């Protein structure tokens, strides 16, 4: 990624793209070409999973209005329906070894505790990806020079957050004055010992679970 004249140029193994504006939204996958941004977040592996399609009788008692749901746990509980009536949920693991099978058991028990109708529910799909965490749990939004913008640090809340931030970044990319936008621009602030933090970051889940257990 580089500037060439008045344009941004992105090169990939498949080809090259030239554009007037750039929006970098790679979050937990930010490349080394922008080390200041890559090292200000800590990528953490997050797991998602989808149940088998749920019948009408179950859906009458499990989020019957089909709203998306999340709570205030550090070890977050969340779920939403797909168009074919699967419930998408997930969780975090300290150790990813045999993660899919372990999460089916852990999250299955969690769902049954919340919604008895989901006792014994099966999961057809399990997958994972990297989310980006920040020390204060706020996203980072930056200007990368002329017509260049970046953001990272969804902290596991990217589904809703990216919609709002994406709208504002799109306005910036088409030339609206960034001062008129709801974007908290800051300078990149790389975290000291970022490589170490990436190794020990998963241990944070122990603190989250400890705090969750003590909540009234």
């Amino acid at each position: 990624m580089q500037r060439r004249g008045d344009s941004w140029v992105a090169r990939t193994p498949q080809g090259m793209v030239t554009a007037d504006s750039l929006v970098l939204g790679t979050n937990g996958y930010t490349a080394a070409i922008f080390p200041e941004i890559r090292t200000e977040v800590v990528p953490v592996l997050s797991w998602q999973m989808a149940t088998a399609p749920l019948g009408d009788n179950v859906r009458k008692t499990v989020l019957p209005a089909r709203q998306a749901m999340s709570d205030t746990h550090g070890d977050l509980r969340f779920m939403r329906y797909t168009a074919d009536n699967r419930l998408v949920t997930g969780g975090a693991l300290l150790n990813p070894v045999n993660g899919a099978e372990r999460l089916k058991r852990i999250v299955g028990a969690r769902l049954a505790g919340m919604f008895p109708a989901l006792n014994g529910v099966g999961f057809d799909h399990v997958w994972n990806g990297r989310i980006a965490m920040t020390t204060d749990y706020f996203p980072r939004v930056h200007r990368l020079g002329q017509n260049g913008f970046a953001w990272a640090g969804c902290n596991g809340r990217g589904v809703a957050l990216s919609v709002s931030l994406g709208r504002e970044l799109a306005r910036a990319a088409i030339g609206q004055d960034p001062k008129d936008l709801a974007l908290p621009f800051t300078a990149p602030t790389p975290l000291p010992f970022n490589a170490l933090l990436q190794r020990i970051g998963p241990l944070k889940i122990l603190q989250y679970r400890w705090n969750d257990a003590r909540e009234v």
Side-chain angles (χ1 to χ4, degrees):
M1 196 82 64
Q2 65 185 80
R3 289 285 295 176
R4 178 185 293 173
D6 294 331
S7 301
W8 285 92
V9 178
R11 290 184 175 85
T12 75
Q14 289 74 39
M16 183 175 70
V17 176
T18 301
D20 294 332
S21 301
L22 166 72
V23 175
L24 183 73
T26 45
N27 204 39
Y29 294 89
T30 301
I33 195 169
F34 288 108
E36 301 88 351
I37 298 173
R38 179 177 60 87
T39 57
E40 71 176 351
V41 299
V42 177
V44 176
L45 196 64
S46 178
W47 296 77
Q48 301 258 312
M49 52 212 303
T51 69
L54 302 180
D56 292 345
N57 60 324
V58 174
R59 288 185 282 109
K60 286 179 180 178
T61 60
V62 180
L63 303 179
R66 299 181 69 91
Q67 65 270 42
M69 185 279 285
S70 67
D71 65 10
T72 59
H73 281 85
D75 186 9
L76 188 66
R77 274 73 165 159
F78 60 92
M79 61 194 72
R80 62 179 176 82
Y81 278 111
T82 63
D84 61 348
N85 298 321
R86 300 175 187 273
L87 200 63
V88 175
T89 182
L93 288 172
L94 182 62
N95 181 358
V97 175
N98 197 29
E101 293 306 313
R102 289 165 53 215
L103 268 179
K104 287 180 181 180
R105 181 180 69 255
I106 294 169
V107 176
R110 181 182 296 172
L111 290 179
M114 298 170 66
F115 301 103
L118 293 178
N119 186 37
V121 67
F123 297 94
D124 287 351
H125 306 282
V126 182
W127 65 100
N128 61 43
R130 297 200 176 277
I131 63 175
M133 304 294 292
T134 60
T135 54
D136 58 4
Y137 305 106
F138 282 94
R140 304 291 189 260
V141 186
H142 309 302
R143 300 189 68 171
L144 303 177
Q146 183 178 354
N147 298 329
F149 308 92
W151 75 286
C154 295
N155 294 282
R157 304 283 184 168
V159 173
L161 180 63
S162 60
V163 174
S164 297
L165 278 177
R167 179 190 60 218
E168 297 301 293
L169 287 165
R171 292 173 178 170
I174 62 175
Q176 189 165 337
D177 190 337
K179 293 185 297 183
D180 298 330
L181 301 174
L183 292 173
F185 287 113
T186 60
T189 53
L191 291 171
F193 311 109
N194 184 274
L196 175 61
L197 289 174
Q198 293 190 34
R199 290 182 176 275
I200 67 175
L203 295 175
K204 190 74 172 177
I205 193 66
L206 296 177
Q207 179 186 347
Y208 291 154
R209 290 172 179 170
W210 169 256
N211 293 340
D212 292 342
R214 298 175 66 191
E215 283 190 351
V216 176

